[in-house]
Amino acid sequence: MRDSGPPAAESRTPGRPGRWAWLLAVLLVGGAVLIGLSRRDELFDAFHQLARVHWPKLAVALLCEAWSLLCLAAVQRWLLLAGGLRVGRGTINSLNLASNAVAGALPGGAAFSAAWMYRELRRRGGEQALVAAVLVVSGALSAVTLVVELAVGALLAGAGGPGQPLRRVLVGLAATLLVTLLIFRSTRVRRGVVRRWRRLRDRHRRIGRASAALARVVHQARSVEPGIKPWLWPYLLAQLNWLLDAASLAACLWALDIAVPWRGLLLVSGLGQIPASTRITPGGLGVTETSLAALLVFYGIHSDEAIAATLLYRIVSYWLLQPLGWACWLALTLHGRRGSR
Protein backbone atom coordinates (compact mmCIF):
# COMPACT_ATOMS: atom_id res chain seq x y z
CA MET A 1 0.00 0.00 0.00
CA ARG A 2 2.50 2.76 -0.87
CA ASP A 3 -1.57 11.17 -4.10
CA SER A 4 0.64 10.98 -6.47
CA GLY A 5 4.40 11.17 -6.12
CA PRO A 6 6.77 13.32 -8.13
CA PRO A 7 5.94 13.35 -11.84
CA ALA A 8 9.28 11.82 -12.68
CA ALA A 9 9.04 9.11 -10.04
CA GLU A 10 8.44 6.36 -12.59
CA SER A 11 11.62 7.06 -14.51
CA ARG A 12 13.90 7.28 -11.51
CA THR A 13 16.20 4.44 -10.65
CA PRO A 14 18.30 4.17 -7.54
CA GLY A 15 21.90 5.22 -7.86
CA ARG A 16 24.78 2.80 -7.81
CA PRO A 17 25.98 1.66 -4.44
CA GLY A 18 28.56 4.12 -3.14
CA ARG A 19 32.26 3.41 -2.98
CA TRP A 20 32.12 3.04 0.79
CA ALA A 21 29.29 0.50 0.56
CA TRP A 22 31.35 -1.65 -1.82
CA LEU A 23 34.45 -1.29 0.38
CA LEU A 24 32.49 -2.30 3.47
CA ALA A 25 31.02 -5.27 1.62
CA VAL A 26 34.49 -6.42 0.51
CA LEU A 27 35.85 -6.05 4.06
CA LEU A 28 32.98 -8.03 5.54
CA VAL A 29 33.26 -10.82 2.99
CA GLY A 30 37.03 -10.87 3.45
CA GLY A 31 36.58 -11.10 7.22
CA ALA A 32 34.13 -13.97 6.78
CA VAL A 33 36.65 -15.78 4.54
CA LEU A 34 39.41 -15.32 7.13
CA ILE A 35 37.14 -16.65 9.87
CA GLY A 36 36.28 -19.61 7.66
CA LEU A 37 39.96 -20.37 7.05
CA SER A 38 40.72 -20.17 10.74
CA ARG A 39 37.90 -22.65 11.44
CA ARG A 40 38.40 -24.90 8.44
CA ASP A 41 38.26 -28.08 10.53
CA GLU A 42 34.81 -27.14 11.81
CA LEU A 43 33.77 -26.26 8.25
CA PHE A 44 34.88 -29.68 6.99
CA ASP A 45 32.88 -31.34 9.78
CA ALA A 46 29.88 -29.19 8.86
CA PHE A 47 30.09 -30.23 5.20
CA HIS A 48 30.30 -33.89 6.21
CA GLN A 49 27.17 -33.40 8.31
CA LEU A 50 25.38 -31.71 5.40
CA ALA A 51 26.04 -34.79 3.28
CA ARG A 52 23.98 -36.84 5.77
CA VAL A 53 20.89 -34.63 5.61
CA HIS A 54 17.49 -36.38 5.82
CA TRP A 55 15.72 -35.38 2.61
CA PRO A 56 12.11 -35.99 3.77
CA LYS A 57 12.74 -33.73 6.78
CA LEU A 58 14.40 -31.16 4.53
CA ALA A 59 11.19 -31.10 2.46
CA VAL A 60 9.43 -29.73 5.55
CA ALA A 61 11.92 -26.83 5.65
CA LEU A 62 11.33 -26.13 1.96
CA LEU A 63 7.56 -26.21 2.48
CA CYS A 64 7.75 -23.79 5.43
CA GLU A 65 9.91 -21.37 3.43
CA ALA A 66 7.53 -21.54 0.46
CA TRP A 67 4.53 -20.79 2.67
CA SER A 68 6.48 -17.93 4.26
CA LEU A 69 6.97 -16.33 0.84
CA LEU A 70 3.31 -16.91 -0.06
CA CYS A 71 2.23 -15.08 3.11
CA LEU A 72 4.50 -12.14 2.26
CA ALA A 73 3.02 -11.87 -1.24
CA ALA A 74 -0.52 -12.24 0.16
CA VAL A 75 0.03 -9.15 2.34
CA GLN A 76 0.81 -7.01 -0.70
CA ARG A 77 -2.06 -8.51 -2.69
CA TRP A 78 -4.53 -7.73 0.11
CA LEU A 79 -3.27 -4.14 0.30
CA LEU A 80 -3.53 -3.73 -3.47
CA LEU A 81 -7.09 -5.11 -3.44
CA ALA A 82 -7.97 -2.76 -0.58
CA GLY A 83 -6.73 0.11 -2.74
CA GLY A 84 -8.75 -1.05 -5.75
CA LEU A 85 -6.10 -2.84 -7.85
CA ARG A 86 -6.62 -6.53 -8.62
CA VAL A 87 -3.44 -8.54 -9.15
CA GLY A 88 -3.47 -12.32 -9.61
CA ARG A 89 -1.88 -14.57 -7.02
CA GLY A 90 0.55 -16.03 -9.53
CA THR A 91 1.63 -12.56 -10.65
CA ILE A 92 2.21 -11.19 -7.16
CA ASN A 93 4.11 -14.33 -6.14
CA SER A 94 6.34 -14.05 -9.22
CA LEU A 95 6.90 -10.35 -8.54
CA ASN A 96 7.95 -11.09 -4.98
CA LEU A 97 10.33 -13.87 -6.00
CA ALA A 98 11.90 -11.60 -8.63
CA SER A 99 12.21 -8.61 -6.29
CA ASN A 100 13.77 -10.88 -3.66
CA ALA A 101 16.37 -12.01 -6.19
CA VAL A 102 17.14 -8.38 -7.13
CA ALA A 103 17.46 -7.43 -3.46
CA GLY A 104 19.94 -10.26 -2.88
CA ALA A 105 22.15 -9.52 -5.87
CA LEU A 106 23.90 -6.32 -4.76
CA PRO A 107 24.89 -4.48 -1.59
CA GLY A 108 21.96 -2.23 -0.75
CA GLY A 109 19.87 -4.25 -3.20
CA ALA A 110 16.63 -3.45 -1.34
CA ALA A 111 16.54 -0.02 -3.05
CA PHE A 112 16.84 -1.62 -6.51
CA SER A 113 14.23 -4.18 -5.55
CA ALA A 114 11.72 -1.54 -4.39
CA ALA A 115 12.24 0.54 -7.54
CA TRP A 116 11.73 -2.50 -9.76
CA MET A 117 8.59 -3.59 -7.88
CA TYR A 118 7.25 -0.02 -8.10
CA ARG A 119 7.67 0.04 -11.88
CA GLU A 120 6.10 -3.39 -12.34
CA LEU A 121 3.02 -2.54 -10.27
CA ARG A 122 2.67 0.79 -12.07
CA ARG A 123 2.82 -1.07 -15.37
CA ARG A 124 -0.08 -3.21 -14.20
CA GLY A 125 -2.32 -0.20 -13.64
CA GLY A 126 -1.45 0.83 -10.11
CA GLU A 127 -1.61 4.53 -9.32
CA GLN A 128 1.51 6.16 -7.93
CA ALA A 129 -0.16 6.76 -4.58
CA LEU A 130 -1.43 3.21 -4.27
CA VAL A 131 1.79 1.48 -5.29
CA ALA A 132 4.02 3.65 -3.10
CA ALA A 133 1.72 3.22 -0.12
CA VAL A 134 1.54 -0.57 -0.62
CA LEU A 135 5.33 -0.82 -0.51
CA VAL A 136 5.54 1.42 2.56
CA VAL A 137 2.77 -0.25 4.55
CA SER A 138 3.85 -3.81 3.71
CA GLY A 139 7.36 -2.91 4.84
CA ALA A 140 5.98 -1.37 8.04
CA LEU A 141 3.89 -4.49 8.74
CA SER A 142 6.95 -6.66 8.21
CA ALA A 143 9.01 -4.54 10.63
CA VAL A 144 6.29 -4.47 13.30
CA THR A 145 5.72 -8.22 13.16
CA LEU A 146 9.48 -8.86 13.37
CA VAL A 147 9.60 -6.74 16.53
CA VAL A 148 6.69 -8.76 17.94
CA GLU A 149 8.56 -11.98 17.18
CA LEU A 150 11.67 -10.63 18.89
CA ALA A 151 9.63 -9.57 21.93
CA VAL A 152 7.99 -12.99 22.28
CA GLY A 153 11.32 -14.68 21.64
CA ALA A 154 13.03 -12.59 24.34
CA LEU A 155 10.34 -13.58 26.83
CA LEU A 156 10.56 -17.29 25.96
CA ALA A 157 14.37 -17.35 25.99
CA GLY A 158 14.49 -16.58 29.70
CA ALA A 159 17.17 -14.70 31.64
CA GLY A 160 20.61 -14.05 30.26
CA GLY A 161 21.94 -14.04 26.72
CA PRO A 162 20.99 -11.67 23.90
CA GLY A 163 17.38 -11.65 25.12
CA GLN A 164 18.22 -9.74 28.30
CA PRO A 165 19.35 -6.43 26.71
CA LEU A 166 16.61 -6.86 24.12
CA ARG A 167 13.99 -7.06 26.86
CA ARG A 168 15.31 -3.78 28.29
CA VAL A 169 15.06 -2.11 24.90
CA LEU A 170 11.51 -3.41 24.41
CA VAL A 171 10.47 -2.22 27.88
CA GLY A 172 11.91 1.20 27.09
CA LEU A 173 10.03 1.35 23.79
CA ALA A 174 6.79 0.30 25.46
CA ALA A 175 7.24 2.94 28.18
CA THR A 176 7.98 5.60 25.55
CA LEU A 177 4.88 4.61 23.59
CA LEU A 178 2.72 4.72 26.73
CA VAL A 179 4.02 8.18 27.69
CA THR A 180 3.46 9.42 24.12
CA LEU A 181 -0.13 8.14 24.14
CA LEU A 182 -0.78 9.84 27.48
CA ILE A 183 0.65 13.13 26.17
CA PHE A 184 -1.45 12.93 23.02
CA ARG A 185 -4.61 12.69 25.10
CA SER A 186 -4.25 16.48 25.51
CA THR A 187 -6.28 18.34 22.86
CA ARG A 188 -3.80 21.24 22.94
CA VAL A 189 -0.87 18.93 22.19
CA ARG A 190 -2.70 17.28 19.28
CA ARG A 191 -3.61 20.64 17.75
CA GLY A 192 -0.03 21.88 18.09
CA VAL A 193 1.36 18.74 16.41
CA VAL A 194 -1.17 19.01 13.56
CA ARG A 195 -0.28 22.68 12.98
CA ARG A 196 3.45 21.95 12.84
CA TRP A 197 2.90 18.95 10.57
CA ARG A 198 0.88 21.09 8.14
CA ARG A 199 3.64 23.71 8.07
CA LEU A 200 6.25 21.05 7.39
CA ARG A 201 4.06 19.48 4.71
CA ASP A 202 3.44 22.85 2.99
CA ARG A 203 7.14 23.69 3.10
CA HIS A 204 8.39 20.39 1.66
CA ARG A 205 6.54 19.13 -1.41
CA ARG A 206 7.71 15.54 -1.15
CA ILE A 207 6.47 15.19 2.41
CA GLY A 208 3.16 16.70 1.35
CA ARG A 209 2.81 14.29 -1.55
CA ALA A 210 3.71 11.28 0.57
CA SER A 211 1.22 12.34 3.25
CA ALA A 212 -1.53 12.84 0.67
CA ALA A 213 -0.72 9.48 -0.93
CA LEU A 214 -0.92 7.61 2.35
CA ALA A 215 -4.15 9.39 3.38
CA ARG A 216 -5.72 8.59 0.03
CA VAL A 217 -4.87 4.92 0.18
CA VAL A 218 -6.08 4.61 3.77
CA HIS A 219 -9.35 6.26 2.68
CA GLN A 220 -9.64 3.82 -0.26
CA ALA A 221 -8.88 0.86 1.97
CA ARG A 222 -11.44 1.94 4.56
CA SER A 223 -14.09 2.24 1.87
CA VAL A 224 -13.36 -1.36 0.84
CA GLU A 225 -12.63 -2.81 4.30
CA PRO A 226 -14.13 -0.51 6.98
CA GLY A 227 -12.97 -0.74 10.58
CA ILE A 228 -9.85 -2.19 12.17
CA LYS A 229 -10.87 -5.85 12.29
CA PRO A 230 -10.28 -6.58 8.56
CA TRP A 231 -6.71 -5.31 8.95
CA LEU A 232 -5.97 -8.14 11.35
CA TRP A 233 -5.74 -10.47 8.35
CA PRO A 234 -2.73 -8.76 6.68
CA TYR A 235 -1.12 -8.44 10.10
CA LEU A 236 -1.58 -12.17 10.67
CA LEU A 237 -0.12 -12.94 7.24
CA ALA A 238 2.91 -10.73 7.95
CA GLN A 239 3.40 -12.46 11.30
CA LEU A 240 3.10 -15.89 9.71
CA ASN A 241 5.83 -14.89 7.26
CA TRP A 242 8.34 -14.66 10.12
CA LEU A 243 6.98 -17.61 12.10
CA LEU A 244 7.15 -19.92 9.10
CA ASP A 245 10.70 -18.76 8.43
CA ALA A 246 11.57 -19.69 12.02
CA ALA A 247 9.87 -23.05 11.44
CA SER A 248 12.08 -23.51 8.36
CA LEU A 249 15.17 -22.99 10.52
CA ALA A 250 13.86 -25.52 13.03
CA ALA A 251 13.21 -28.01 10.22
CA CYS A 252 16.78 -27.55 8.96
CA LEU A 253 18.09 -28.45 12.42
CA TRP A 254 15.71 -31.42 12.51
CA ALA A 255 16.90 -32.60 9.08
CA LEU A 256 20.46 -32.73 10.43
CA ASP A 257 19.42 -34.55 13.63
CA ILE A 258 20.38 -31.53 15.74
CA ALA A 259 18.36 -30.74 18.85
CA VAL A 260 16.24 -27.64 18.24
CA PRO A 261 16.70 -24.91 20.90
CA TRP A 262 12.95 -24.29 21.18
CA ARG A 263 13.18 -21.64 23.92
CA GLY A 264 15.59 -19.52 21.89
CA LEU A 265 14.29 -20.36 18.40
CA LEU A 266 12.18 -17.22 17.82
CA LEU A 267 14.92 -14.99 19.20
CA VAL A 268 17.63 -16.63 17.09
CA SER A 269 15.48 -16.48 13.96
CA GLY A 270 14.44 -12.85 14.55
CA LEU A 271 17.93 -11.61 15.38
CA GLY A 272 19.28 -13.48 12.37
CA GLN A 273 16.97 -11.48 10.11
CA ILE A 274 18.50 -8.14 11.15
CA PRO A 275 21.92 -8.50 9.43
CA ALA A 276 20.20 -10.16 6.46
CA SER A 277 17.82 -7.17 6.11
CA THR A 278 20.61 -4.59 6.12
CA ARG A 279 21.91 -5.92 2.75
CA ILE A 280 25.40 -4.58 3.47
CA THR A 281 26.69 -7.45 1.39
CA PRO A 282 24.75 -9.17 -1.41
CA GLY A 283 22.02 -11.12 0.37
CA GLY A 284 23.79 -10.48 3.68
CA LEU A 285 26.45 -13.04 2.71
CA GLY A 286 28.99 -13.67 5.42
CA VAL A 287 27.29 -11.39 7.94
CA THR A 288 24.11 -13.45 8.22
CA GLU A 289 25.88 -16.80 8.40
CA THR A 290 28.30 -15.61 11.07
CA SER A 291 25.56 -14.05 13.20
CA LEU A 292 23.17 -16.98 12.96
CA ALA A 293 25.84 -19.59 13.68
CA ALA A 294 27.04 -17.61 16.72
CA LEU A 295 23.48 -17.38 18.07
CA LEU A 296 22.95 -21.13 17.66
CA VAL A 297 26.23 -21.83 19.46
CA PHE A 298 25.14 -19.59 22.32
CA TYR A 299 22.00 -21.69 22.76
CA GLY A 300 23.96 -24.90 23.22
CA ILE A 301 24.58 -26.20 19.70
CA HIS A 302 28.10 -27.38 18.88
CA SER A 303 29.97 -25.07 16.50
CA ASP A 304 30.24 -27.54 13.58
CA GLU A 305 26.52 -28.40 13.93
CA ALA A 306 25.63 -24.69 14.08
CA ILE A 307 27.62 -24.04 10.90
CA ALA A 308 25.97 -26.98 9.12
CA ALA A 309 22.47 -25.86 10.17
CA THR A 310 23.21 -22.28 9.13
CA LEU A 311 24.49 -23.33 5.71
CA LEU A 312 21.47 -25.59 5.13
CA TYR A 313 19.05 -22.85 6.21
CA ARG A 314 20.75 -20.34 3.90
CA ILE A 315 20.53 -22.81 1.00
CA VAL A 316 16.78 -23.11 1.63
CA SER A 317 16.05 -19.43 2.30
CA TYR A 318 18.52 -17.73 -0.08
CA TRP A 319 20.43 -19.80 -2.60
CA LEU A 320 17.50 -21.87 -3.93
CA LEU A 321 15.39 -18.72 -4.27
CA GLN A 322 17.95 -16.85 -6.39
CA PRO A 323 17.62 -18.89 -9.63
CA LEU A 324 13.82 -19.07 -9.17
CA GLY A 325 13.66 -15.32 -8.64
CA TRP A 326 15.83 -14.47 -11.62
CA ALA A 327 13.79 -16.80 -13.83
CA CYS A 328 10.65 -14.90 -12.73
CA TRP A 329 12.44 -11.58 -13.34
CA LEU A 330 13.42 -12.63 -16.86
CA ALA A 331 9.92 -13.87 -17.70
CA LEU A 332 8.26 -10.72 -16.33
CA THR A 333 10.74 -8.45 -18.11
CA LEU A 334 10.32 -10.18 -21.48
CA HIS A 335 6.52 -10.16 -21.05
CA GLY A 336 6.62 -6.46 -20.25
CA ARG A 337 8.67 -5.67 -23.36
CA ARG A 338 6.26 -7.60 -25.55
CA GLY A 339 3.36 -5.75 -23.99
CA SER A 340 4.99 -2.36 -24.58
CA ARG A 341 5.61 -3.23 -28.24
Side-chain angles (χ1 to χ4, degrees), residues 83-287:
L85 178 63
R86 184 175 294 277
V87 179
R89 287 188 178 88
T91 300
I92 197 67
N93 288 327
S94 298
L95 287 170
N96 269 276
L97 280 170
S99 66
N100 181 68
V102 174
L106 295 168
F112 293 86
S113 171
W116 181 83
M117 178 70 90
Y118 176 85
R119 287 195 298 268
E120 288 296 313
L121 290 175
R122 286 283 290 137
R123 193 166 59 82
R124 285 164 174 78
E127 297 180 1
Q128 288 182 347
L130 175 63
V131 174
V134 164
L135 296 177
V136 169
V137 175
S138 61
L141 277 172
S142 182
V144 168
T145 49
L146 180 59
V147 171
V148 171
E149 181 179 295
L150 286 170
V152 175
L155 292 173
L156 293 176
Q164 187 170 0
L166 184 60
R167 279 198 298 274
R168 295 174 183 172
V169 173
L170 292 170
V171 169
L173 289 173
T176 303
L177 180 60
L178 180 60
V179 170
T180 303
L181 290 174
L182 290 174
I183 292 173
F184 267 81
R185 288 179 64 86
S186 169
T187 306
R188 181 179 297 178
V189 171
R190 291 199 302 268
R191 288 175 179 173
V193 171
V194 169
R195 282 198 302 269
R196 291 181 181 178
W197 171 252
R198 286 175 178 171
R199 290 173 187 169
L200 185 65
R201 186 182 62 189
D202 295 339
R203 190 176 301 172
H204 301 281
R205 295 178 61 189
R206 291 185 178 180
I207 294 177
R209 286 169 176 164
S211 174
L214 200 55
R216 183 178 174 186
V217 171
V218 169
H219 175 72
Q220 288 177 338
R222 283 179 176 175
S223 65
V224 177
E225 299 284 356
I228 297 177
K229 189 175 179 180
W231 291 80
L232 295 176
W233 178 241
Y235 172 85
L236 178 62
L237 288 171
Q239 194 72 69
L240 280 173
N241 167 49
W242 296 121
L243 293 176
L244 286 166
D245 189 78
S248 178
L249 174 60
C252 288
L253 290 162
W254 182 44
L256 294 170
D257 286 332
I258 301 171
V260 180
W262 292 110
R263 290 190 64 183
L265 179 64
L266 289 181
L267 188 60
V268 169
S269 177
L271 289 175
Q273 294 298 331
I274 296 175
S277 301
T278 58
R279 308 286 185 181
I280 299 174
T281 59
L285 289 176
V287 186

